[in-house]
Amino acid sequence: MTGAGDRRPVGGGASRGAHGDPILTLRGVGKAFDNGVTALSGLDMEIRDGEFLSLLGPSGCGKSTALRLIAGLSAPTSGVIDHARPAAERHSIGFVFQEPTLMPWASVFGNVHLPLRLKGQSRRAAEPAIEEALERVGLAGFRDAYPRELSGGMKMRVSIARALVTRPSLLLMDEPFAALDEITRFKLNNDLLALWKQLGCTVVFVTHSVFESVFLSTRILVFRARPGQVAAEIAIDPHVPRDEAFRTSADYAGMCRRTSQALAAAMGESAGGGGLA
Ligand SMILES: Nc1ncnc2c1ncn2[C@@H]1O[C@H](COP(=O)(O)OP(=O)(O)OP(=O)(O)O)[C@@H](O)[C@H]1O
Ligand SMILES: [Mg+2]
């Protein structure tokens, strides 16, 4: 890892060949809402092909707002978002929300079918893709279950399968595991890393958790409090195996300490100060 606060660019995405080039760049991006709240101001950041990028910051600093802008779900009120490729060749996006937001009246199969149904694909036509997505998240045997029959971790897996079913090359995740117990969270962290490696996609992962961001990421952007901006960039060697040995290692503890310090410094720099999220 480079030092906390070091803005030196680093190559993201382990063993991804030519990957690592920017696919999307935000330049001086701001977002002010009608109610007078300025969520983001002068946000500069880029997303690099194949990386696992975490956006880390305190509650209310504009992480979800940034993710929505990246997804194209809302438009910036200042600055620009540059895409490396023309619209027709652009990455397809999968979005995983903080809450699983499943339709309670539909089965697991029906829930995962939704994005394809919206594209006009029948259940039968979509079935192979749905089965594959369920297989990937370890829910192959649960296609006919209903959300009420699933644990929180299983619901989140369904939500991830729903994002994967369109085979996105850019996966945006907004604190997907925040509501889960630690053991389930660790398990889903491991599964997510395996998926990322298997699929070769780019992940942008919003989190409050220093520990989660260090475990998962090849790069972390630490946000300062509202209006959100990048205060520090932390690169983590993508070649370090992310396993239980890593999670309990002195190296991991050291990286977490440095990341916490970067977060504390970012809070100190912000207008209102405040505590760690
Ligand atoms: N649609 C909206 N209209 C008005 N204000 C909004 C809107 N969405 C977000 N905000 C405000 O913008 C700021 C940033 O919100 P955002 O949800 O991006 O923060 P966050 O970093 O994701 O926080 P958390 O970690 O708690 O999810 C907050 O002050 C919030 O109240
Ligand atoms: Mg949020």
Side-chain angles (χ1 to χ4, degrees):
M1 189 176 82
T2 59
D6 187 344
R7 299 296 312 269
R8 213 159 11 116
V10 290
S15 60
R16 288 170 190 278
H19 288 198
D21 292 339
I23 54 173
L24 197 145
T25 306
L26 283 72
R27 296 181 213 280
V29 161
K31 180 73 183 181
F33 291 104
D34 292 343
N35 61 359
V37 172
T38 301
L40 300 169
S41 172
L43 174 62
D44 293 311
M45 60 173 276
E46 63 185 29
I47 300 171
R48 300 175 190 156
D49 197 15
E51 73 176 338
F52 197 120
L53 177 69
S54 282
L55 310 185
L56 175 70
S59 187
C61 73
K63 304 180 297 295
S64 295
T65 303
L67 208 61
R68 292 175 61 80
L69 294 177
I70 290 165
L73 294 173
S74 78
T77 45
S78 57
V80 289
I81 300 180
D82 282 336
H83 293 266
R85 295 180 205 131
E89 299 164 26
R90 209 166 285 165
H91 40 261
S92 56
I93 291 178
F95 204 114
V96 178
F97 296 92
Q98 185 165 349
E99 301 293 329
T101 58
L102 303 179
M103 302 177 290
W105 61 86
S107 66
V108 165
F109 187 97
N111 271 285
V112 177
H113 181 206
L114 180 68
L116 297 180
R117 185 154 63 88
L118 294 174
K119 290 181 165 191
Q121 267 194 37
S122 69
R123 283 175 74 91
R124 178 167 298 188
E127 188 163 358
I130 297 171
E131 294 286 1
E132 186 192 315
L134 289 175
E135 180 88 33
R136 284 196 189 283
V137 300
L139 283 181
F142 290 87
R143 55 173 277 164
D144 297 323
Y146 283 83
R148 63 177 178 276
E149 300 170 302
L150 305 176
S151 70
M154 290 163 88
K155 284 184 195 150
M156 191 42 79
R157 285 173 190 277
V158 176
S159 171
I160 295 170
R162 184 180 53 192
L164 292 180
V165 77
T166 55
R167 299 196 174 93
S169 54
L170 177 58
L171 186 58
L172 307 177
M173 308 182 85
D174 194 353
E175 299 197 53
F177 309 140
L180 302 174
D181 68 83
E182 205 154 90
I183 299 293
T184 307
R185 192 167 176 155
F186 286 178
K187 169 102 182 69
L188 287 177
N189 282 171
N190 290 334
D191 293 348
L192 175 59
L193 281 175
L195 261 177
W196 170 64
K197 284 188 191 134
Q198 245 178 48
L199 299 175
C201 59
T202 307
V203 178
V204 182
F205 188 92
V206 167
T207 182
H208 281 125
S209 166
V210 166
F211 304 105
E212 190 169 60
S213 65
V214 172
F215 187 72
L216 293 173
S217 314
T218 54
R219 205 160 62 97
I220 302 170
L221 298 180
V222 179
F223 274 50
R224 67 168 58 98
R226 187 162 62 82
Q229 250 175 28
V230 177
E233 174 177 332
I234 296 159
I236 302 177
D237 181 356
H239 302 287
V240 175
R242 312 302 165 106
D243 51 19
E244 286 317 301
F246 175 58
R247 209 192 272 284
T248 52
S249 68
D251 273 356
Y252 175 69
M255 290 177 206
C256 290
R257 192 169 55 247
R258 291 161 71 182
T259 306
S260 289
Q261 286 165 352
L263 187 57
M267 295 301 300
E269 284 169 24
S270 66
L276 297 185

